[in-house]
Amino acid sequence: YSFTRILNSRDKALFIVMDTQGLINDYQSLTDTMRSDSIPEIIWLKNILSTNTAKWTIVTGHHPVLSASTFHGDTYEMVKII
């Protein structure tokens, strides 16, 4: 889903929240996430970004694209998509 917030009289921010389960290879073999189809979500993301006029765009999801954590680290599947 996404939503826009007005920052001031001329600027706005677009917030995009993604379901990242379907983008991670390890989750595709789990019964509760194996049917997660990420292609429609990627198409939706590209469409919303192509018409975006906000000064700020913030995209978030459960899994980090890049991480400084030594425990989790980067999510390489998402790095490839971006």
Side-chain angles (χ1 to χ4, degrees):
Y1 66 93
S2 66
F3 59 94
T4 301
R5 291 290 182 255
I6 304 300
L7 304 175
N8 55 46
S9 63
R10 56 180 199 267
D11 298 324
K12 60 184 177 179
L14 172 64
F15 293 83
I16 301 170
V17 182
M18 306 236 356
D19 177 9
T20 57
Q21 295 287 89
L23 303 174
I24 311 300
N25 292 335
D26 290 345
Y27 288 94
Q28 293 176 3
S29 62
L30 302 176
T31 56
D32 62 334
T33 56
M34 67 189 317
R35 293 191 181 120
S36 180
D37 185 3
S38 60
I39 293 173
E41 188 161 17
I42 293 170
I43 292 170
W44 168 79
L45 176 64
K46 287 181 179 185
N47 285 336
I48 200 167
L49 291 175
S50 71
T51 60
N52 179 21
T53 60
K55 180 173 184 172
W56 295 95
T57 303
I58 296 96
V59 180
T60 187
H62 177 74
H63 300 90
V65 176
L66 302 171
S67 174
S69 169
T70 56
F71 175 74
H72 184 275
D74 300 345
T75 306
Y76 295 104
E77 294 96 330
M78 292 176 58
V79 171
K80 284 192 265 181
I81 291 170
I82 293 174

